[in-house]
Amino acid sequence: MMRDDIQIIVKDDPGLMAHEAATLFTDAAMERVTVNDRFTAAISGGTTPGAMYSLLTQEPFISRVPWDKIHLFWVDERLVPWNHPHSNYGSAKNLFIDKIPIPESNVHPMPVEFPPESASNQYQENLMAFFDLEKGNLPCLDLIMLGMGKDGHTASLFPGQQALDEKQRLVISVQGGDPFVNRLTMTLPIINNAMTILVLVSGQGKANTIKSILEDKHTSLPVQRIRPIKGTLKWLLDREAASKLSKHWLYGKS
Ligand code: 6PG
């Protein structure tokens, strides 16, 4: 299953994994800003990326990242008010956005004040306008950061849902997950068009799922649909999440 465009990085513990994720984010940002004078990243919710978000508010990361050139988007969002504890934007705002010198105009949260369908259309229009694209073209984000649930979902793309087969829309509304709420999610076409896709997975509770998706060719879960068209896919695991993998995957471990 190992392909040139897939890399598995295993770190000894969640803290080292978060540090590696913050380093990957910072290095990619610095490189893309040098080349393109901006860095566009879409981030996910959930608990796993929290430690990385906190590290980005501290040295050495906070002064290395060219925040004025960074644009943050969201991979998915629960349709709750931003001050609700389940809000992905609200969590990121508290954890790191309010603690870094990123211009407010560079932070692009998903709209939650509209009904699901119009909110998804609104965000899709925002993305097309930001990337200055004609209808039918795909934005290419520099980095998309994903998590994975024990059921193999990623973003808010849940097993068995039609959203997985969306080929045209960049953003759609779904219902699902825990909490089971209305959500917006980026779809596979835009996710797979990113230059770097980073999937962060931590904890023993996900070890069986990681083993299945990386080593059992009969498994078919949403996160296995993450296949970069032109970029690279990096799995960043801690040792617990990687504990059921056969040894040939385990390189880059601390
Ligand atoms: C969401 C997230 C979701 C998350 C996974 C993993 O909005 O729920 O985007 O896809 O990444 O559920 O969540 P944990 O990191 O909390 O395990």
Side-chain angles (χ1 to χ4, degrees), residues 17-230:
M17 186 183 106
H19 192 276
E20 179 73 12
T23 302
L24 288 168
F25 180 98
T26 303
D27 292 351
M30 292 171 74
E31 191 270 330
R32 294 305 300 156
V33 166
T34 307
V35 171
N36 212 11
D37 200 34
R38 77 178 185 190
F39 177 69
T40 56
I43 60 176
S44 284
T47 54
T48 305
M52 172 217 158
Y53 296 158
S54 296
L55 283 176
L56 290 174
T57 69
Q58 303 161 39
E59 296 300 348
F61 303 106
I62 190 164
S63 48
R64 284 182 62 210
V65 176
W67 292 109
D68 60 323
K69 305 280 189 188
I70 307 298
H71 285 270
L72 287 179
F73 296 87
W74 268 258
V75 170
D76 64 344
E77 183 56 279
R78 295 82 177 273
L79 289 180
V80 295
W82 285 338
N83 60 2
H84 188 285
H86 286 154
S87 167
N88 287 340
Y89 166 68
S91 306
K93 188 174 186 308
N94 295 333
L95 265 175
F96 85 114
I97 293 172
D98 285 348
K99 300 169 184 171
I100 54 177
I102 187 170
E104 195 174 334
S105 55
N106 288 22
V107 181
H108 310 273
M110 289 181 157
V112 295
E113 65 275 25
F114 305 117
E117 194 53 26
S118 45
S120 64
N121 292 336
Q122 181 63 59
Y123 205 62
Q124 172 151 328
E125 285 164 21
N126 295 354
L127 284 163
M128 294 300 280
F130 178 87
F131 286 93
D132 193 22
L133 290 173
E134 294 294 311
K135 189 170 166 53
N137 291 313
L138 272 179
C140 176
L141 280 95
D142 295 312
L143 174 66
I144 290 190
M145 290 191 57
L146 300 172
M148 185 198 79
K150 272 198 273 195
D151 63 354
H153 84 260
T154 191
S156 283
L157 299 169
F158 298 101
Q161 289 203 353
Q162 257 187 316
L164 285 163
D165 300 321
E166 178 58 47
K167 299 278 188 291
Q168 304 304 321
R169 307 285 309 282
L170 307 180
V171 184
I172 57 174
S173 63
V174 298
Q175 251 197 345
D178 176 15
F180 189 92
V181 291
N182 284 320
R183 296 161 173 254
L184 300 187
T185 185
M186 283 185 175
T187 58
L188 290 170
I190 185 172
I191 292 172
N192 285 333
N193 201 46
M195 289 314 294
T196 301
I197 305 170
L198 183 59
V199 187
L200 274 65
V201 186
S202 169
Q204 194 64 41
K206 297 182 182 173
N208 286 328
T209 309
I210 287 289
K211 179 172 182 58
S212 298
I213 55 178
L214 291 179
E215 296 188 347
D216 173 0
K217 58 183 182 303
H218 301 297
T219 305
S220 171
L221 294 172
V223 74
Q224 290 172 282
R225 308 274 193 99
I226 302 300
R227 298 188 196 104
I229 297 162
K230 54 194 172 193

